[in-house]
Amino acid sequence: MAYSMTGFGRGEIICDTRRYTCEIKSVNSRFCDINIRMPRLFNFADSKIRKLITDELTRGKVDIFINFDDSKNESGEVVLNEGLAKAYASAVGSIASITGTDPELSAVRLSTFPDVLTVRQKDLDEDQLFAELSSCIKTAIAGMKDMRKTEGSNLIKDILDKVSSLETIRDEIVARAPEVVKDYRARLTARIDEILEEDKRSFYDESRLAAEVAVFADKCAIDEELKRLVSHFAQARKILAGDTVGKKMDFLIQEINREVNTIGSKANDIEITNRVLLMKNLIEEMREQIQNLV
């Protein structure tokens, strides 16, 4: 089953007084590019979080957002910098002495001075935190994979429909190809009749006409290209039925496009050219869709 690289998932768990939420979204990328936004509390787990993601996803630009809240609010403690507080108080007293004013410095006012009070994280059980967080992340990843699977199935179905359309157009070209040489012979014969006078027409060597038509038929022959397209279309269906699609189909679509371009350059027929243009439009649409498949 092929997966799209576009997806979104969300996980949330509550453990005692701790609430974890995780949101993951992914878009197209040639590689697995992971960007994590989370509280500093979880910095210790950065590499472990990345491994959780890379164990499940091989390609895509992945953004992960983690939030954490502890309603018990015991994860931090307030620390007083006594030396700095005394220094501020002494400095304010010196200012009051120099200016002859009343310092009017209260403890509340002093506590608002920079770095007098700081919040320090208490030592927490990192193993427990990561176990709880990883459960939340796995839930988000599972949700995103479900969405990527659904999107991938829709893409595969649409690409297969386009392959069928390409096969139909290819069959139309097969039916038209023999008529190209016949039309050329008729136009060439009519042109010769137009140029040569009636009394000179009998002296014209028909073998020269046949040779000219044979040269034209050789130049506009597209049998090989049409046969290779049959093989490419069969291979496309085989790849699309597998698990790894993106890179294989990306290469195959280049080969299909090459054969179609060759048909367009050799055909020398407006009807075939019009069908080639339709095929190229379908191929370009397929190329864009394939870029979103793993």
Side-chain angles (χ1 to χ4, degrees):
M1 172 61 66
Y3 285 79
S4 166
M5 280 187 280
T6 300
F8 174 82
R10 189 177 191 276
E12 179 178 342
I13 65 168
I14 297 176
C15 300
D16 194 13
T17 60
R18 297 174 298 281
R19 180 172 178 267
Y20 303 81
T21 59
C22 175
E23 293 184 351
I24 301 179
K25 66 177 183 178
S26 65
V27 294
N28 299 5
S29 177
R30 293 178 60 189
F31 310 102
C32 189
D33 181 16
I34 302 171
N35 178 45
I36 304 175
R37 295 182 183 179
M38 61 184 175
R40 294 176 60 186
L41 169 66
F42 298 113
N43 282 350
F44 73 91
D46 183 89
S47 61
K48 295 179 180 179
I49 294 172
R50 292 179 184 274
K51 188 175 187 306
L52 284 176
I53 298 172
T54 55
D55 283 348
E56 298 292 336
L57 309 177
T58 57
R59 292 178 63 193
K61 183 180 184 301
V62 182
D63 291 310
I64 175 169
F65 305 89
I66 297 171
N67 289 311
F68 172 76
D69 179 57
D70 189 348
S71 60
K72 200 172 180 180
N73 201 25
E74 293 182 352
S75 60
E77 59 181 344
V78 178
V79 179
L80 169 64
N81 190 327
E82 295 183 10
L84 186 59
K86 291 177 180 178
Y88 275 130
S90 176
V92 171
S94 297
I95 294 173
S97 177
I98 293 171
T99 59
T101 58
D102 187 348
E104 295 182 356
L105 184 64
S106 66
V108 174
R109 175 61 177 162
L110 182 60
S111 68
T112 63
F113 284 24
D115 299 325
V116 172
L117 297 178
T118 57
V119 178
R120 182 172 63 192
Q121 198 72 42
K122 287 184 178 179
D123 292 335
L124 299 172
D125 187 339
E126 292 184 350
D127 291 338
Q128 180 184 357
L129 282 176
F130 180 69
E132 295 170 351
L133 175 62
S134 62
S135 177
C136 181
I137 294 173
K138 288 177 181 178
T139 300
I141 292 175
M144 182 177 66
K145 288 184 67 177
D146 286 343
M147 183 174 178
R148 284 166 63 122
K149 182 178 180 180
T150 300
E151 290 291 320
S153 297
N154 292 336
L155 280 174
I156 293 297
K157 181 179 182 302
D158 194 58
I159 293 173
L160 284 172
D161 289 342
K162 287 182 172 62
V163 171
S164 297
S165 296
L166 288 173
E167 289 174 328
T168 299
I169 298 173
R170 180 258 174 201
D171 292 342
E172 293 174 355
I173 293 176
V174 170
R176 172 62 187 169
E179 302 301 317
V180 175
V181 176
K182 292 180 181 179
D183 289 350
Y184 178 76
R185 183 185 182 92
R187 291 197 307 272
L188 187 59
T189 299
R191 181 60 175 161
I192 292 172
D193 290 340
E194 179 183 339
I195 294 175
L196 295 180
E197 298 176 1
E198 185 65 29
D199 58 342
K200 296 180 180 179
R201 183 70 178 84
S202 59
F203 296 101
Y204 180 75
D205 187 357
E206 290 292 336
S207 63
R208 294 181 60 187
L209 175 63
E212 181 67 24
V213 172
V215 171
F216 175 81
D218 184 62
K219 287 182 178 180
C220 70
I222 54 177
D223 294 352
E224 290 299 320
E225 288 78 12
L226 292 172
K227 289 178 181 178
R228 282 194 288 269
L229 282 179
V230 173
S231 174
H232 291 336
F233 295 151
Q235 186 66 19
R237 294 183 181 279
K238 182 178 179 180
I239 292 173
L240 292 169
D243 294 329
T244 305
V245 173
K247 293 183 179 180
K248 293 179 181 179
M249 277 300 298
D250 189 51
F251 172 77
L252 183 61
I253 204 70
Q254 294 180 45
E255 297 302 307
I256 293 175
N257 190 58
R258 183 177 293 112
E259 301 298 344
V260 171
N261 281 336
T262 303
I263 291 172
S265 64
K266 293 173 65 175
N268 198 21
D269 178 72
I270 188 62
E271 291 189 29
I272 292 180
T273 298
N274 288 338
R275 288 175 171 81
V276 165
L277 291 176
L278 291 175
M279 295 181 82
K280 288 179 68 66
N281 287 336
L282 288 171
I283 290 170
E284 189 57 34
E285 291 175 5
M286 290 170 63
R287 193 198 305 277
E288 292 179 2
Q289 291 173 313
I290 289 166
Q291 298 305 314
N292 197 31
L293 289 174
V294 178

